[in-house]
C-alpha cells in the first residue's frame, strides 16, 4: 500500500482532472443502477395494466412502454457520455502523470554519481524507464478508479437488492465473499511473478544492449551462437513466468464467472416462488437478475484489476527504488558558484576507495599552479584515472580534500565546477547526431565560427570539409562511422569548445597516428597556455615537456617533479621510462 500511496502522490498536481473522472464514475454508476430499476418498474406497470411511470401518466399501455423505453435510452446515452468522460480524464491523468514520472526518473538517473552507474545494468535502467513506467500508466488509466468503480457498483447493487427483498439479496450476495477471496488470493500469487517478469525483461535488455553495442567483438570472436544461447535462456525464463501468470489468470476468470451463475439460478428458483406467492413482482425478479448480471463484469474485472494492481506494485517498487536512491556525490544546501577559476589545484592527503573494496588512492598530496602541464603516469590500476575523476568530482574523496583556487570542491555547485574542469575521456562517446552537434555538445549556444576554430585546432576541419555534408554529416550510433583517431580529435574539439580553466586529457591521442598526433600536439601547445592541463599519457614528448610529472604506484604518489628531476633521482620513474616508455620512442619520432 505504501507503493500505491507514493505513486498517487504524483497525481496530486492533476487532482482536478482526477476529480472530473471521479464525477463521471459517480454519474455512470448512478445511471447504471437506475436502468434496471426503470426496466423492472416499467415491466410491472405494463403487465399490471398501470397507467403511470415516473412522472408520466397515460391510459395507453403501448404509450407507457414507449415512454419507459425512451427514458432507458436517454439514461443509457448519458451513461455512455459519463463513461467517455471517465476514460478521457483517466487517460489524461495517466499520460500527464507518467510524463512527469518518466522525466523525474530520467533526471534522477542522469544526476546519480558514477558509483551508482558502476553497479547498475543499463538494460535494467532502460526497463524501468519504459516497461515499468508503462505498467504504472496502465494503472492510472484503468486501475486507479477501476477499483473504486467496482466497490461503488457492489455497494449500490447490494443496497438496491436489499431494498427489494433482503432474504433473496442475502442468498445471492453471499457469493461475493468467495469471489473477493479468490481475487485477493490471486493477487498474492501473481505479484511475485510479475516482479520476476520485470526483472527478467531488464536482464534481457542488458544482454541485447551489450550484444548490439559490442557487435564488432561478437563477430570478431565468432560468439554469435553463445550470445544467442544466452539470450534464448533469458527469453525462455520470461516465457515460463508469463505462461505461469497466464495459467493463474486462466483458472481465476472462469472460476469467478462460475460462482456468479449460481446466484442467477437461486433468483429464478426462489424469486419464482415469491412471484407465485405474491410477495414479489415479475419486474422485481427481472431487476434482481439484471443487477446480478451487472455485478458479473465488475467482479470479473476485479481479477484483471488485482493483476494490474500487483504488476503496478512490482513496477512501482522498481521505479521508486531509483527515485529514492541518493547520489554519493551531492551538493551542499548552500553550495556557491565557483565562477571562472585561474586553475590552481591542490590535493591534500586525498584517499579514495571504490565501494570500500580497497584503496584506489592513499594519502595523495600535490600542488599545481595555474597554467601548468601535468603528466599522470603509472601502471594500470595505479590511480591515474581516479585522480581525474576526483578532480571533476564524479566521485567524492573518502579522506582529505581537493582545492581549486583554494576552494574545497565540495563547497561549490557541481555545474560550476564542471564548467571549469572538463575531461576528454579515453573511451570517446559520440551521440547519434551531426558532427556539429557533437562538437557543440557542451556549449550548445556556440557559433559556427567557434566550432570551426576548435575543429581546426584539433586537426579535424579538413576531414570534415571533405565530407559530402560537411559539419551536418550524421554521426552513426556511438560514432561508429568515424575512425578511432577521428573520434579522438572530435572529442578534443568538443572539450576545447567549452574552454575550461582545467583540462584533463585521458590518453586522448592514443588512437591517432604519429603524424596526426604531431599536428594535434602543435595545436595543443597553443591552446594549453594559461590553462591547467592534466594528461594521462605514455607519450614521450608530452612527458618531457610537462611542468610536473605525477608518478603513481598502487594508489600512492611515489614521485613528482619534472622529467629531468625524476631521471636524476634514479627512482621508479626512471625505471619505467627506460623499460616501457622508450619503446614508444620510434612511434613519437623524438629522442630524449
Amino acid at each position: 500500500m505504501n507503493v500505491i500511496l507514493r505513486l498517487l502522490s504524483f497525481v496530486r498536481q492533476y487532482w482536478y482532472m482526477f476529480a472530473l473522472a471521479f464525477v463521471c464514475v459517480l454519474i455512470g454508476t448512478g445511471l447504471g443502477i437506475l436502468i434496471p430499476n426503470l426496466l423492472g418498474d416499467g415491466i410491472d406497470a405494463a403487465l399490471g395494466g398501470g397507467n403511470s411511470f415516473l412522472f408520466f401518466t397515460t391510459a395507453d399501455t403501448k404509450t407507457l412502454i414507449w415512454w419507459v423505453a425512451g427514458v432507458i435510452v436517454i439514461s443509457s446515452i448519458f451513461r455512455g457520455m459519463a463513461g467517455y468522460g471517465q476514460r478521457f480524464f483517466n487517460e489524461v491523468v495517466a499520460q500527464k502523470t507518467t510524463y512527469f514520472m518518466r522525466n523525474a526518473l530520467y533526471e534522477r538517473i542522469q544526476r546519480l554519481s558514477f558509483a551508482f552507474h558502476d553497479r547498475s545494468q543499463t538494460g535494467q535502467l532502460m526497463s524501468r524507464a519504459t516497461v515499468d513506467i508503462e505498467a504504472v500508466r496502465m494503472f492510472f488509466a484503468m486501475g486507479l478508479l477501476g477499483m473504486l468503480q467496482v466497490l461503488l457498483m457492489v455497494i449500490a447493487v447490494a443496497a438496491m437488492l436489499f431494498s427489494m427483498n433482503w432474504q433473496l439479496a442475502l442468498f445471492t450476495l453471499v457469493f461475493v465473499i468467495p469471489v473477493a477471496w479468490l481475487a485477493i488470493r490471486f493477487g498474492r500469487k501473481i505479484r511475485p511473478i510479475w516482479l520476476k517478469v520485470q526483472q527478467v525483461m531488464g536482464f534481457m535488455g542488458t544482454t541485447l544492449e551489450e550484444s548490439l553495442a559490442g557487435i564488432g567483438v561478437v563477430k570478431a570472436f565468432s560468439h554469435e551462437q553463445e550470445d544467442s544461447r544466452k539470450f534464448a535462456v533469458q527469453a525462455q525464463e520470461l516465457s515460463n513466468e508469463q505462461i505461469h501468470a497466464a495459467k493463474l489468470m486462466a483458472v481465476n476468470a472462469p472460476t469467478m464467472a462460475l460462482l456468479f451463475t449460481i446466484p442467477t439460478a437461486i433468483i429464478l428458483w426462489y424469486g419464482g416462488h415469491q412471484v407465485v406467492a405474491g410477495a414479489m413482482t415479475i419486474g422485481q425478479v427481472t431487476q434482481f437478475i439484471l443487477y446480478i448480471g451487472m455485478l458479473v463484469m465488475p467482479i470479473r474485472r476485479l481479477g484483471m484489476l488485482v493483476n494490474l494492481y500487483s504488476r503496478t506494485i512490482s513496477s512501482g517498487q522498481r521505479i521508486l527504488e531509483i527515485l529514492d536512491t541518493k547520489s554519493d556525490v551531492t551538493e551542499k544546501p548552500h553550495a556557491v558558484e565557483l565562477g571562472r577559476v585561474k586553475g590552481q589545484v591542490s590535493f591534500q592527503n586525498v584517499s579514495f576507495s571504490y565501494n570500500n573494496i580497497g584503496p584506489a588512492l592513499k594519502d595523495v598530496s600535490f600542488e599545481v599552479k595555474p597554467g601548468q602541464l601535468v603528466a599522470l603516469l603509472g601502471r594500470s590500476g595505479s590511480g591515474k584515472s581516479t585522480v581525474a575523476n576526483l578532480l571533476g568530482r564524479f566521485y567524492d574523496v573518502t579522506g582529505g580534500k581537493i582545492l581549486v583556487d583554494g576552494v574545497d570542491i565540495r563547497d561549490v555547485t557541481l555545474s560550476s565546477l564542471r564548467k571549469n574542469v572538463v575531461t576528454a575521456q579515453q573511451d570517446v562517446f559520440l551521440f547519434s547526431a551531426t558532427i556539429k552537434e557533437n562538437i557543440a555538445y557542451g556549449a550548445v549556444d556556440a557559433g559556427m565560427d567557434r566550432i570551426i576554430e576548435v575543429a581546426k585546432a584539433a586537426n579535424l576541419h579538413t576531414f570534415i570539409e571533405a565530407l559530402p555534408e560537411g559539419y551536418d554529416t550524421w554521426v552513426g550510433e556511438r560514432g561508429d562511422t568515424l575512425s578511432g583517431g577521428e573520434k579522438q580529435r572530435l572529442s578534443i574539439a568538443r572539450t576545447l569548445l567549452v574552454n575550461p580553466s582545467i583540462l584533463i586529457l585521458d590518453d586522448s591521442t592514443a588512437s591517432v597516428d604519429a603524424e596526426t598526433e604531431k599536428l594535434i600536439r602543435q595545436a595543443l601547445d597553443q591552446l594549453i597556455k594559461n590553462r591547467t592541463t592534466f594528461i594521462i599519457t605514455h607519450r614521450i614528448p608530452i612527458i618531457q615537456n610537462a611542468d610536473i610529472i605525477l608518478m603513481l604506484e598502487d594508489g600512492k604518489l611515489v614521485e613528482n617533479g619534472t622529467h629531468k628531476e625524476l631521471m636524476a633521482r634514479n627512482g621508479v620513474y626512471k625505471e619505467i621510462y627506460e623499460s616501457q616508455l622508450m619503446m614508444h620512442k620510434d612511434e613519437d619520432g623524438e629522442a630524449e
Side-chain angles (χ1 to χ4, degrees):
M1 199 62 194
N2 289 334
V3 174
I4 295 297
L5 290 175
R6 286 284 307 280
L7 293 177
L8 288 177
S9 66
F10 289 95
V11 183
R12 282 183 300 185
Q13 56 186 321
Y14 308 111
W15 65 268
Y16 54 94
M17 289 282 188
F18 181 76
L20 289 173
F22 179 67
V23 170
C24 290
V25 167
L26 292 178
I27 295 173
T29 302
L31 291 174
I33 293 297
L34 180 62
I35 290 173
N37 185 265
L38 294 175
L39 186 59
D41 290 348
I43 290 174
D44 286 341
L47 294 178
N51 60 358
S52 65
F53 176 75
L54 291 180
F55 303 106
F56 181 75
T57 303
T58 180
D60 185 2
T61 302
K62 289 184 178 180
T63 303
L64 184 65
I65 293 174
W66 276 107
W67 172 248
V68 172
V71 172
I72 292 174
V73 169
I74 293 172
S75 299
S76 298
I77 291 173
F78 279 102
R79 184 187 180 191
M81 292 172 63
Y84 168 81
Q86 176 194 340
R87 289 179 178 84
F88 174 76
F89 291 122
N90 264 349
E91 190 61 38
V92 170
V93 170
Q95 292 293 347
K96 286 183 175 292
T97 302
T98 50
Y99 168 80
F100 176 79
M101 188 180 295
R102 188 178 289 113
N103 286 339
L105 184 65
Y106 181 81
E107 184 178 356
R108 171 61 62 182
I109 293 173
Q110 290 282 83
R111 292 185 179 276
L112 288 171
S113 66
F114 274 20
F116 168 81
H117 292 283
D118 288 342
R119 58 180 181 264
S120 299
Q121 293 181 325
T122 302
Q124 288 286 354
L125 296 178
M126 291 174 62
S127 175
R128 296 181 198 219
T130 53
V131 178
D132 291 327
I133 288 287
E134 180 62 17
V136 173
R137 186 200 68 80
M138 290 289 291
F139 171 73
F140 287 140
M142 301 174 60
L144 187 56
L145 286 177
M147 285 285 192
L148 181 60
Q149 189 174 21
V150 169
L151 182 62
L152 288 174
M153 183 67 73
V154 171
I155 293 173
V157 167
M160 294 300 295
L161 295 181
F162 274 103
S163 68
M164 289 185 290
N165 189 303
W166 70 268
Q167 296 97 333
L168 185 55
L170 200 59
F171 286 146
T172 53
L173 291 177
V174 73
F175 288 91
V176 173
I177 297 175
V179 170
W181 177 79
L182 278 175
I184 295 172
R185 183 169 174 266
F186 171 72
R188 288 177 176 174
K189 282 188 174 183
I190 205 166
R191 178 185 167 191
I193 297 175
W194 283 128
L195 182 59
K196 184 68 178 294
V197 165
Q198 304 298 81
Q199 291 173 340
V200 174
M201 291 181 74
F203 291 137
M204 286 179 62
T206 298
T207 300
L208 184 60
E209 190 270 339
E210 289 178 347
S211 296
L212 293 177
I215 191 65
V217 178
V218 173
K219 291 185 175 295
F221 287 88
S222 300
H223 210 263
E224 295 92 341
Q225 186 173 353
E226 288 75 8
D227 278 9
S228 295
R229 187 181 299 114
K230 178 182 177 182
F231 187 82
V233 169
Q234 294 173 337
Q236 183 63 55
E237 185 178 5
L238 177 63
S239 176
N240 293 340
E241 293 296 335
Q242 289 183 323
I243 290 174
H244 188 190
K247 285 180 179 178
L248 288 177
M249 289 187 286
V251 171
N252 186 68
T255 302
M256 295 174 70
L258 175 62
L259 287 174
F260 266 98
T261 61
I262 300 175
T264 305
I266 292 175
I267 293 170
L268 289 174
W269 174 78
Y270 183 81
H273 284 80
Q274 293 291 91
V275 170
V276 172
M280 291 183 68
T281 65
I282 295 176
Q284 288 177 323
V285 174
T286 303
Q287 288 182 52
F288 255 90
I289 294 175
L290 291 175
Y291 279 129
I292 291 298
M294 287 181 64
L295 283 182
V296 172
M297 185 56 69
I299 297 298
R300 290 185 66 180
R301 278 185 65 203
L302 187 61
M304 181 272 289
L305 290 172
V306 170
N307 175 35
L308 182 61
Y309 178 82
S310 300
R311 191 164 190 173
T312 300
I313 292 177
S314 301
S315 295
Q317 283 178 326
R318 286 161 53 83
I319 293 170
L320 294 174
E321 186 178 284
I322 300 297
L323 294 178
D324 291 340
T325 300
K326 302 297 182 183
S327 178
D328 296 320
V329 177
T330 57
E331 292 182 357
K332 292 182 177 180
H334 303 290
V336 298
E337 291 290 326
L338 188 57
R340 181 76 178 180
V341 301
K342 296 178 180 179
Q344 180 182 1
V345 176
S346 174
F347 273 54
Q348 298 182 1
N349 305 112
V350 171
S351 297
F352 176 76
S353 62
Y354 294 96
N355 297 324
N356 297 317
I357 295 175
L361 288 183
K362 308 170 189 175
D363 200 29
V364 172
S365 298
F366 62 83
E367 295 278 345
V368 177
K369 296 178 181 179
Q372 286 190 321
L373 175 62
V374 182
L376 290 167
L377 294 180
R379 298 182 176 89
S380 178
S382 61
K384 304 185 300 297
S385 296
T386 301
V387 169
N389 286 331
L390 291 177
L391 183 54
R393 208 185 166 204
F394 298 117
Y395 301 89
D396 262 341
V397 298
T398 53
K401 58 183 177 179
I402 300 173
L403 306 179
V404 172
D405 280 12
V407 180
D408 192 324
I409 62 174
R410 290 171 294 188
D411 295 332
V412 303
T413 62
L414 290 171
S415 60
S416 65
L417 173 66
R418 290 169 187 170
K419 285 178 183 177
N420 283 282
V421 181
V422 176
T423 302
Q425 300 285 350
Q426 182 180 14
D427 182 16
V428 179
F429 188 96
L430 300 181
F431 296 88
S432 296
T434 64
I435 289 178
K436 177 177 66 178
E437 290 168 335
N438 269 286
I439 292 176
Y441 184 76
V444 293
D445 297 328
M448 196 64 208
D449 291 342
R450 180 62 179 150
I451 293 174
I452 293 174
E453 180 184 345
V454 296
K456 288 180 177 178
N459 194 33
L460 196 63
H461 178 70
T462 303
F463 162 74
I464 297 173
E465 286 289 285
L467 297 173
E469 297 181 51
Y471 282 84
D472 292 321
T473 300
W474 194 263
V475 175
E477 186 177 10
R478 295 177 179 269
D480 288 340
T481 56
L482 302 180
S483 69
E486 290 157 358
K487 287 193 288 186
Q488 292 283 2
R489 283 177 280 162
L490 195 153
S491 175
I492 292 173
R494 180 165 64 189
T495 304
L496 294 173
L497 185 61
V498 180
N499 192 28
S501 298
I502 301 171
L503 180 64
I504 302 172
L505 301 176
D506 191 352
D507 206 13
S508 56
T509 60
S511 298
V512 299
D513 55 64
E515 183 178 353
T516 301
E517 183 191 345
K518 285 182 180 179
L519 295 173
I520 293 175
R521 193 164 62 245
Q522 290 170 3
L524 286 176
D525 287 341
Q526 298 299 320
L527 290 167
I528 63 178
K529 290 181 179 179
N530 302 318
R531 192 194 314 276
T532 305
T533 306
F534 291 78
I535 302 182
I536 302 173
T537 184
H538 58 252
R539 302 292 182 176
I540 289 178
I542 296 175
I543 295 170
Q544 289 177 336
N545 293 327
D547 297 302
I548 301 174
I549 298 171
L550 301 177
M551 188 69 211
L552 294 163
E553 188 81 14
D554 295 327
K556 295 181 179 179
L557 181 61
V558 292
E559 291 181 334
N560 73 86
T562 64
H563 171 70
K564 290 183 178 179
E565 290 172 348
L566 297 184
M567 289 295 289
R569 293 178 190 173
N570 296 318
V572 178
Y573 172 78
K574 183 175 182 180
E575 177 188 342
I576 292 180
Y577 182 85
E578 292 178 345
S579 63
Q580 296 182 26
L581 298 181
M582 286 301 290
M583 70 177 62
H584 299 287
K585 175 180 176 181
D586 293 335
E587 299 175 18
D588 296 327
E590 297 183 29
E592 180 183 350

